[in-house]
Amino acid sequence: MSTDIRRGPDGLARCAWVGDDPEYRRYHDEEWGFPLHGDRALFEEMSLEGFQAGLSWITILRKRPRFREVFLGFEPGLVAGFGDDDVERLMADAGIIRNRAKILATISNAQLVSEMAEGELDALLWSFAPDAWARPASFADVPATTAESDAMSKALRTRGFRFVGPTTMYALMQSAGMVDDHVDGCWRAA
């Protein structure tokens, strides 16, 4: 078996990045690479990917329930109304990533999403999904960015979005199922 694949306690072969963590295993099996649609869901994913920058995704997964609670389910219209008191409340909350720039970016991004027509964020993000995608044979074949994630990042930044760099947007494309980077040999790649 490739070093890019790891057999779990249930006998299933998975992408090796899952390791032994049950939450990572659940995320890999039930979320990562599944098509994700809807402005609220994609705003949440964009926000969490922004918070993840510089950290491990498992850290975000473990804190996601609290993120959802304090960011009011990532409803863009509600988050768009956050003010200075909310920023300070969030900065004091050890249950999330307390990074002022990322908190402010999430609020600012929510304001931008709130100004968009219903379904516009979904349509915009999915417009960058490649028409064809070659399954990676190994993790060495998985890029950090692509022409599509570069273009997505540029389009979002042009509209004023923050914490949406090309690497972060490629991670969004992976998690939202715009690309499927389950490597050959993973049961999800079948």
Side-chain angles (χ1 to χ4, degrees):
M1 184 178 298
S2 161
T3 58
D4 293 324
I5 297 295
R6 184 175 186 158
R7 195 160 303 280
D10 56 5
L12 293 176
R14 292 180 177 82
C15 299
W17 58 262
V18 173
D20 294 323
D21 188 282
E23 178 59 14
Y24 242 0
R25 192 167 44 249
R26 188 210 56 76
Y27 174 74
H28 171 274
D29 292 357
E30 299 174 12
E31 293 186 58
W32 194 68
F34 283 85
L36 180 66
H37 285 281
D39 292 343
R40 192 218 54 80
L42 288 166
F43 170 66
E44 175 182 340
E45 197 67 27
M46 178 191 305
S47 300
L48 293 175
E49 293 290 354
F51 274 102
Q52 185 270 332
L55 303 169
S56 68
W57 186 245
I58 192 63
T59 300
I60 301 302
L61 281 179
R62 289 181 180 140
K63 292 179 178 282
R64 184 167 63 173
R66 184 65 182 157
F67 269 112
R68 286 175 170 166
E69 184 178 343
V70 300
F71 279 100
L72 307 178
F74 286 96
E75 285 294 338
L78 297 176
V79 177
F82 281 13
D84 293 341
D85 289 346
D86 295 297
V87 172
E88 294 312 313
R89 170 182 57 83
L90 294 167
M91 285 297 296
D93 194 321
I96 66 167
I97 306 303
R98 296 178 288 179
N99 179 301
R100 187 174 300 275
K102 292 176 181 182
I103 291 168
L104 291 171
T106 301
I107 296 167
S108 173
N109 291 348
Q111 292 165 348
L112 294 169
V113 173
S114 295
E115 295 168 3
M116 299 170 88
E118 180 69 31
E120 187 177 350
L121 179 65
D122 186 299
L124 174 65
L125 295 179
W126 275 91
S127 74
F128 296 100
D131 293 329
W133 190 251
R135 177 163 314 288
S138 70
F139 287 126
D141 298 327
V142 176
T145 65
T146 61
E148 292 87 358
S149 73
D150 290 344
M152 180 189 286
S153 173
K154 183 177 181 181
L156 289 167
R157 285 183 284 130
T158 297
R159 289 175 174 243
F161 284 87
R162 297 172 13 210
F163 278 91
V164 292
T167 302
T168 300
M169 290 303 91
Y170 189 71
L172 172 85
M173 294 175 82
Q174 290 174 308
S175 63
M178 296 172 194
V179 298
D180 183 355
D181 281 339
H182 290 280
V183 296
D184 282 338
C186 172
W187 77 271
R188 280 284 322 281

